[in-house]
Structure formats: C-alpha cells, structure tokens
C-alpha cells in the first residue's frame, strides 16, 4: 500500500489514545513487574542450589541468584532494603527446603520401579521438578511476597504440565508420578508420604463466589500415606481424605473418606466388539 506508513501512524495514535481510556490494565505500574524470562532463569538457578553437582561451590550461584531475587522483590515492593532483608530470610531457609527435597527425591525412587537412579529422577522427572519449584515458591509465599511465587510455579507448570499453587501446604516425601495435568489448589493441605498420578485434581467445588472466597478453605485435605490414581478429582474445603487411603482412577469425590479406605469408581463399563474382517 502506498499510504501504509500514513495509516500505520494513525493506527498507532489510536492505540496510544486507547491507553488513556480508564481501563485497570492501563493503570498498572509495569516497572514493578518481574520479567518472566528472568524469573525462569532464577528458578532454574535456585533449583540447582537445591540439587547441586557433586563438586559444586554454592557461593557463586547463591550470590548471583540473591542479587537477582533481591532486585525483583525490591521492585515489586518498591523498597530495595526490604528486598534485601527478605532475600536473606529466604536463603536462610534453603537448608530446610533441601531437607524436604531429599525426602521427595527418596519417595520418587522408592515409589517408581522404573527409576534407574537418583540422578535420573533429578534430571528427568517432571514431578520432582514441579515439587521442588513449589517448595521454593512456597517459602516466598510465606514471606508474603506478591507475584513472584506464582510466576515461579507457573513457569514449572509450563515446563511440566503440573500446576501447584504456592499457597498449598505439602508435607514431606511427596511424589507425583508422570504428572501431566495434576492441579493442586491454593488452600490444599497434603500430609506426609502422599503419591499422586497424572491428571489428579485437588480443587474447589465452585469458584462462582470469586473474590468473596479469598482466604477461605476451598480445597481438600489429604492425610498421610494416601495414594491417588490417575484422573481422580477431589473437591471442596470440607473434604478430608483419611490417612492410608487409596483413591482409584477417575473417582470423583465431594465428601470425606475415612482412614484406611479404598475408593473405586465402578460405574464404568467397557464394550468389546469383534471387528469383521473385510
């Protein structure tokens, strides 16, 4: 088009004018937003601190990631000094996070006969990746740092297909096998030694209440040593799955389950029909 540049200028002016139309999205201070790629790089570095190479010296990785983290927190809060204080508090918690990560690693090895080595689990298992990122993000969540914890777990979600809200509370020795499609909501409480398979949802009964539900229990409690098989859905803040229970594949649960119970979905039928050869 001969007049392309002229028309493009008019379009650009119209978009610029639209930025001043009073929408909430146009009043957000993007200077305080963490860069998504930078958060992804930071998350990978923090995970490497949790699972270092044998000859690793953590000083460089800690110093580099601490500088990045304190800068992000400082921008989010608009307070550089507070960013540094919270970063130091976070890194003081790393030994405890590593202790939990060790129990998750052991649970993955003990729970999967296909696991050839601990190294294979660390390098190749999406469940351990997602859970480790969750444990790091959860510490930031406990420090009441906005945005960053959710961005970290959403990065893990994008990589693994496993969606764990950083506000969930998850005990030691947690193992997600295969993992794709797992969803764990914000107010979920999970005990020790729990194992989930792919497609499991620990969710809310309804989100129609919107912001009125903020801060209220919406997601289930899972007791110690519970196994939940593929594509099971357990919903509701009043739903408690008792310890040592087994929830079968495709179960849809809206009420509490007593300890030591096996739940099986039986209202399914398979039809087999022999094909005629042509």
């Amino acid at each position: 088009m001969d007049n392309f540049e002229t028309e493009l200028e008019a379009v650009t002016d119209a978009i610029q004018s639209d930025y001043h139309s009073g929408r909430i999205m146009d009043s957000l201070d993007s200077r305080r937003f963490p860069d998504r790629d930078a958060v992804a790089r930071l998350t990978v570095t923090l995970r490497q601190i949790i699972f270092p190479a044998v000859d690793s010296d953590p000083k460089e990785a800690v110093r580099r990631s601490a500088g990045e983290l304190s800068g992000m927190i400082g921008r989010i809060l608009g307070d550089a000094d507070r960013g540094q204080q919270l970063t130091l508090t976070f890194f003081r918690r790393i030994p405890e996070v590593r202790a939990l990560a060790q129990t998750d690693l052991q649970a993955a090895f003990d729970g999967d006969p296909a696991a050839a080595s601990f190294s294979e689990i660390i390098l190749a298992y999406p469940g351990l990746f997602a859970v480790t990122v969750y444990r790091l993000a959860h510490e930031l969540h406990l420090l009441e740092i906005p945005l960053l914890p959710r961005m970290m777990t959403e990065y893990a979600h994008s990589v693994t297909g496993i969606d764990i809200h950083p506000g969930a509370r998850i005990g030691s020795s947690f193992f997600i096998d295969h993992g794709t499609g797992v969803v764990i909501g914000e107010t979920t409480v999970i005990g020790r030694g729990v194992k989930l398979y792919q497609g499991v949802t620990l969710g809310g009964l309804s989100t129609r209440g919107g912001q009125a539900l903020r801060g209220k229990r919406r997601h289930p409690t899972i007791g110690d040593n519970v196994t939940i098989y593929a594509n099971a859905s357990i919903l509701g803040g009043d739903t408690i799955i008792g310890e040592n229970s087994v929830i079968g594949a495709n179960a849809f649960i809206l009420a509490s389950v007593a300890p030591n119970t096996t739940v099986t979905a039986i209202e399914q039928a398979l039809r087999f029909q022999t094909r005629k050869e042509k």
Side-chain angles (χ1 to χ4, degrees):
M1 293 177 60
D2 294 338
N3 61 343
F4 177 80
E5 292 296 336
T6 300
E7 296 208 19
L8 182 61
E9 184 71 20
V11 169
T12 303
D13 289 344
I15 293 172
Q16 183 68 39
S17 176
D18 190 64
Y19 287 164
H20 302 285
S21 58
R23 294 188 179 91
I24 292 174
M25 67 179 76
D26 300 326
S27 64
L28 303 176
D29 187 355
S30 61
R31 293 170 297 181
R32 293 190 176 185
F33 294 171
D35 178 79
R36 294 180 66 179
D37 291 338
V39 171
R41 291 191 297 270
L42 173 64
T43 301
V44 170
T45 302
L46 292 174
R47 186 175 179 273
Q48 290 170 344
I49 293 171
I50 300 299
F51 294 111
V54 173
D55 59 350
S56 292
D57 180 351
K59 290 184 179 179
E60 180 183 354
V62 169
R63 286 174 178 167
R64 184 175 71 253
S65 56
E68 294 171 355
L69 180 61
S70 65
M72 289 179 186
I73 297 173
R75 286 194 300 275
I76 291 169
L77 299 180
D79 186 338
D81 289 341
R82 184 62 177 154
Q84 292 179 346
Q85 293 169 1
L86 290 170
T87 296
L88 289 172
T89 301
F90 169 77
F91 275 96
R92 291 188 185 106
R93 293 279 297 164
I94 289 295
E96 294 181 50
V97 176
R98 295 192 71 239
L100 279 171
Q102 171 63 37
T103 71
D104 299 329
L105 175 61
Q106 188 69 54
F109 185 80
D110 293 342
D112 185 4
S117 67
F118 290 105
S119 297
E120 179 183 59
I121 296 168
I122 292 170
L123 295 172
Y125 276 44
L128 184 68
F129 185 98
V131 172
T132 303
V133 173
Y134 151 78
R135 294 209 184 277
L136 291 161
H138 182 65
E139 294 302 321
L140 296 173
H141 175 85
L142 293 176
L143 294 173
E144 299 183 348
I145 297 167
L147 292 177
L148 189 55
R150 190 65 184 273
M151 293 180 72
M152 289 172 63
T153 56
E154 284 303 318
Y155 167 68
H157 183 195
S158 72
V159 172
T160 67
I162 299 168
D163 184 0
I164 309 176
H165 193 286
R169 291 186 286 158
I170 301 176
S172 60
S173 302
F174 182 50
F175 178 36
I176 300 176
D177 201 357
H178 304 296
T180 303
V182 166
V183 176
I184 300 174
E186 178 188 18
T187 62
T188 303
V189 177
I190 297 175
R192 299 182 299 274
V194 171
K195 183 177 183 179
L196 308 183
Y197 285 84
Q198 66 272 19
V200 167
T201 296
L202 305 179
L205 276 172
S206 174
T207 58
R208 291 185 179 182
Q211 289 297 317
L213 298 174
R214 178 183 290 276
K216 297 181 180 179
R217 283 298 310 276
R218 309 183 304 281
H219 305 96
T221 297
I222 310 300
D224 296 344
N225 303 312
V226 169
T227 298
I228 306 175
Y229 283 98
N231 300 313
S233 294
I234 303 173
L235 309 179
D238 295 327
T239 302
I240 300 172
I241 305 301
E243 62 186 20
N244 304 312
S245 291
V246 176
I247 307 300
N250 301 307
F252 186 78
I253 296 178
L254 305 178
S256 294
V257 172
N260 306 299
T261 300
T262 296
V263 178
T264 306
I266 61 173
E267 294 182 3
Q268 300 182 59
L270 297 178
R271 180 185 179 191
F272 295 87
Q273 184 176 359
T274 303
R275 291 189 304 155
K276 295 181 180 179
E277 294 185 6
K278 295 183 180 179

